[in-house]
Amino acid sequence: MSDSDSFISEVTEEVRREKLYGYLRRYGWVAVAAVLLLVGGAAWNEYRNVKDRNAAQATGDALLAALDETDPGARAAAMATVEADGSAAAVTLLLRAAMEEEAGEIAAASATLNTVAVNPDVPDMYRDIAAFKAAMLPSDDTTARRSALEALSQPGQPFRLLALEQIAYMTLEAGDTDGAIAVMRQIEEDAGVTRGLRERVQTLMVALGEPLPAPVTE
């Protein structure tokens, strides 16, 4: 019985080995492919990371080189040659617009800012900044500028109060003191107004002879 059991065990083990080898011959390529896929994926990710780091470094170096230019016009021209992708491209364009404005190229700055403001692929934060900065540019077309500021001053807009401040200045320049004070009062009473903005508005209101509200006391 012992010899029989040993023989049966050996036969069973041999059958198992044959089945295992059969499975390996039939499906072994799956395991090899999985290993190659994992190794290849890791190598591809590392390649992409290195490529992204190199691109970011190249963009940073180009920006620093452009900012090193002493002449505003040269800085703007150098900034226009900087290539970037994603959010870096939006930041680059905002810097380029600032250089163009400094160089007196207002039309070019406006075009650059509008490129960012209307690009749906740019994060909302950069689009809002670009739209506000474009509305802040000096322009002979006061109607268009005021229209842009009024759009930015709607409830929910991130630069609402700053846009209202500019509207107040424009209203005052147009000779409408009462209208300007009404806008400034709206800013002053807003719960989201910053201390600096409130102080600017209150200073101008006092200069215009408008009394400030008495502080609330308990």
Side-chain angles (χ1 to χ4, degrees):
M1 293 295 294
S2 176
D3 291 340
S4 298
D5 291 343
S6 177
F7 175 74
I8 292 172
S9 297
E10 290 178 1
V11 171
T12 302
E13 186 65 26
E14 186 65 27
V15 170
R16 286 176 180 172
R17 279 199 294 268
E18 286 296 325
K19 287 183 177 180
L20 176 60
Y21 293 149
Y23 289 143
L24 288 176
R25 285 193 295 270
R26 182 178 301 179
Y27 303 110
W29 65 271
V30 176
V32 174
V35 171
L36 291 176
L37 183 62
L38 289 174
V39 174
W44 173 248
N45 285 335
E46 182 61 22
Y47 167 76
R48 288 186 60 185
N49 290 335
V50 171
K51 183 178 179 182
D52 291 343
R53 284 197 298 269
N54 291 339
Q57 183 175 353
T59 300
D61 292 342
L63 287 174
L64 291 175
L67 292 173
D68 282 340
E69 295 287 347
T70 56
D71 179 70
R75 279 200 298 273
M79 194 68 69
T81 65
V82 178
E83 297 182 358
D85 297 320
S87 297
V91 173
T92 300
L93 288 173
L94 290 174
L95 288 172
R96 173 180 166 184
M99 299 301 103
E100 290 169 340
E101 181 182 3
E102 184 182 1
E105 302 172 5
I106 303 302
S110 178
T112 301
L113 290 170
N114 286 327
T115 297
V116 179
V118 301
N119 188 347
D121 297 327
V122 172
D124 290 343
M125 176 180 68
Y126 298 120
R127 295 176 62 187
D128 293 335
I129 291 173
F132 179 71
K133 289 180 68 68
M136 290 284 290
L137 292 174
S139 174
D140 294 332
D141 191 347
T142 56
T143 301
R145 183 165 181 262
R146 188 181 183 99
S147 177
L149 287 169
E150 287 177 346
L152 293 168
S153 68
Q154 298 303 307
Q157 293 295 319
F159 296 101
R160 175 175 178 270
L161 296 180
L162 292 176
L164 284 174
E165 182 185 18
Q166 296 302 313
I167 290 173
Y169 295 153
M170 292 186 68
T171 304
L172 187 60
E173 290 175 1
D176 184 1
T177 302
D178 291 339
I181 290 175
V183 176
M184 286 185 279
R185 182 70 70 190
Q186 184 179 355
I187 297 171
E188 183 197 28
E189 294 174 352
D190 194 283
V193 66
T194 63
R195 179 177 178 180
L197 178 54
R198 178 182 282 113
E199 289 177 350
R200 289 200 304 271
V201 168
Q202 289 180 344
T203 299
L204 184 54
M205 290 172 67
V206 170
L208 295 173
E210 178 70 9
L212 298 178
V216 177
T217 58
E218 295 183 0

